[in-house]
Amino acid sequence: VIPDKMAKTLFIGGNQQQLDDIQSIYPDTQRLDILVDDTMDSLISKLQQHNSVNHIIWMAPTDSLDKTSFISSQQQGVLQLFKLIKSLLGVSYGTKNLAWTVLTTQTQKVLTTDQVNPTHAGFHGLIGAVAKEYGKWAIRIVDLQQDWPLPLDEIFSLPHSAEGNTLAFRDKEWFAQELLAVN
């Protein structure tokens, strides 16, 4: 399920240039700012200002590997995502068709040369569980390479995964995890 180009889209995270790039593909994209101190009620209020959302694009922050800011960075990431999911359920999106594109950067070890930043690796587990629980939500989760231009056309044409499996982009190549039988 690839959202229509006219899909009402919410963009969370990222920067203005990334928002502009996404708006070139999905013109009806609006930024949704989620703050660390947002409550469920404040998030529900923010969501109610955006009627009939069809697609959520969440771009996890790109953080340094500074141990002192690890916990606060997670609060600005996976805990906010959790609050958003709960708020969406609070405004009856649990039974609606909703496309998700969740983007992280270098949270998964794909190549032996990858330096992994685990700060937002929890996104993969959380959104994977959500994909399995909410069958009407078409979820794609992508782990991108650090300091690499966003291949948006490719990202938005990737399949969604009912199992919440991650696709990774490294050195102009796409990777997917696969279980193989071993004798």
Side-chain angles (χ1 to χ4, degrees), residues 1 24 27 29 32 47 49 72 77 85 117 121-122 124 127 144 153 159 170 175:
V1 177
S24 73
T29 299
L32 177 65
L47 287 169
Q49 294 172 16
S72 65
I85 292 164
N117 184 341
H124 297 266
I127 206 70
L144 300 164
D153 286 331
R170 300 289 190 276
F175 294 86

Side-chain angles (χ1 to χ4, degrees), residues 100-111:
W100 284 77
T101 302
V102 177
L103 306 168
T104 61
T105 303
Q106 266 339 112
T107 64
Q108 307 297 302
K109 185 147 186 100
V110 177
L111 304 175

Side-chain angles (χ1 to χ4, degrees), residues 124-174:
H124 297 266
L126 176 58
I127 206 70
V130 167
K132 292 175 185 117
E133 189 71 25
Y134 297 96
K136 289 195 166 250
W137 290 3
I139 295 176
R140 90 169 54 86
I141 183 161
V142 177
D143 192 56
L144 300 164
Q145 186 171 346
Q146 182 74 36
D147 299 324
W148 201 270
L150 284 178
L152 289 176
D153 286 331
E154 291 179 48
I155 289 171
F156 294 131
S157 66
L158 292 170
H160 293 90
S161 171
E163 297 299 314
N165 295 326
T166 299
L167 296 170
F169 183 74
R170 300 289 190 276
D171 297 329
K172 298 182 184 178
E173 195 172 348
W174 288 99

